[in-house]
Amino acid sequence: ACGMWSGRERGHHITYLELLAVHHTISTFSERLQGRSILLWEDNQAVQHILTNRTTRSPAMMRLLRQPSLVRRRANLIVQAIK
């Protein structure tokens, strides 16, 4: 997938933007992913931590985590680090 961040999105921290990319991807392919596990290779350690532990101190990122596409995938999302 590729694209540009909107002017409003460009003002966010890179961790938020990478989490937003995960959200957009899961939302876009939600029908194809139904009933499947997702292995996510993530190079951003903060995003790895947020997705694995399902928590962050950032209110904006918590709103993303609570989005239906990520909430439904909670049990089926496996996050691996890229080294």
Side-chain angles (χ1 to χ4, degrees):
C2 65
M4 300 289 286
W5 298 113
S6 70
R8 183 175 160 201
E9 290 168 337
R10 274 185 234 137
H12 286 284
H13 190 275
I14 188 63
T15 302
Y16 177 88
L17 294 174
E18 289 201 29
L19 187 60
L20 184 61
V22 170
H23 166 70
H24 284 323
T25 302
I26 291 173
S27 295
T28 300
F29 297 105
S30 62
E31 286 185 27
R32 292 182 191 176
L33 299 173
Q34 197 167 14
R36 298 175 185 247
S37 294
I38 301 169
L39 175 60
L40 175 64
W41 292 89
E42 179 59 58
D43 66 345
N44 184 310
Q45 289 183 346
V47 174
Q48 292 170 22
H49 179 80
I50 291 166
L51 290 171
T52 300
N53 296 298
R54 309 296 303 165
T55 190
T56 175
R57 287 182 275 180
S58 165
M61 285 189 259
M62 278 307 295
R63 282 191 292 278
L64 270 180
L65 281 175
R66 291 183 181 125
Q67 292 293 317
S69 63
L70 289 177
V71 170
R72 283 193 303 265
R73 293 260 156 234
R74 180 176 291 176
N76 298 338
L77 185 63
I78 303 161
V79 181
Q80 292 288 326
I82 296 177
K83 296 182 180 182

